[in-house]
């Protein structure tokens, strides 16, 4: 069964760092674009970051660029999101996503329809 499982969320203070992990199973992760979305209370789900098949290209939301770093390990089927200088506005449920059929252009334009998503991990940043 194809699955994405996030881990690493928690409660931190503003300015702290946190690293999220996502483990893919049941499908060939290396063939999929991958990324992170987040959803804050009362807000719509939004794009955070994405990475291409081999990690050579990345794309970030303006709100996290320079603070967050996405990476992947195709040998161990893992996706990561390293988050530095966290702000209370980063508080959200973070979801790991993956897509097989889209293009990198769709990722950059925000037009990709991610076809796999994990259950999410809560990140709370206190001020």
């Amino acid at each position: 069964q194809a699955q994405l499982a996030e881990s690493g969320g928690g409660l931190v203070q503003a300015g702290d760092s946190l690293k999220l992990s996502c483990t893919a199973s049941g499908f060939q992760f290396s063939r999929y674009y991958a990324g992170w979305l987040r959803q804050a209370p009362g807000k719509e789900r939004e794009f955070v970051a994405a990475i291409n098949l081999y990690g050579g290209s990345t794309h970030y939301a303006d709100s996290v660029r320079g603070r967050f770093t996405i990476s992947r390990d195709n040998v161990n089927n893992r996706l990561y999101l390293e988050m530095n200088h966290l702000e209370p506005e980063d508080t959200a449920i973070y979801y790991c996503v993956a897509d097989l059929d889209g293009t990198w252009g769709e990722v950059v334009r925000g037009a990709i329809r991610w076809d796999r998503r994990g259950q999410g991990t809560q990140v709370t940043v206190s001020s």
Side-chain angles (χ1 to χ4, degrees):
Q1 182 179 359
Q3 196 171 19
L4 293 169
E6 302 93 339
S7 62
L11 172 63
V12 297
Q13 293 187 330
D16 285 352
S17 299
L18 204 59
K19 187 172 184 177
L20 305 183
S21 299
C22 172
T23 301
S25 58
F27 65 100
Q28 195 170 356
F29 179 64
S30 61
R31 296 181 60 196
Y32 285 67
Y33 291 117
W36 293 91
L37 309 180
R38 69 184 181 185
Q39 187 165 17
K43 295 187 177 181
E44 293 187 354
R45 194 171 298 152
E46 65 175 2
F47 170 80
V48 176
I51 190 166
N52 72 347
L53 301 184
Y54 302 109
S57 293
T58 56
H59 181 61
Y60 296 93
D62 289 343
S63 58
V64 307
R65 187 174 292 113
R67 299 188 298 123
F68 291 11
T69 302
I70 188 171
S71 60
R72 67 188 298 164
D73 176 359
N74 286 343
V75 173
N76 294 298
N77 297 324
R78 295 266 177 88
L79 180 71
Y80 301 101
L81 185 68
E82 186 162 3
M83 306 183 292
N84 298 312
H85 305 293
L86 282 161
E87 304 168 351
E89 293 74 22
D90 296 317
T91 295
I93 299 174
Y94 284 71
Y95 298 93
C96 173
V97 292
D99 188 80
L100 177 65
D101 299 317
T103 67
W104 189 244
E106 289 175 334
V107 171
V108 173
R109 293 195 306 271
I112 195 164
R113 304 186 75 169
W114 301 99
D115 58 21
R116 300 194 190 281
R117 178 170 60 87
Q119 294 297 309
T121 186
Q122 177 71 47
V123 172
T124 303
V125 185
S126 64
S127 57

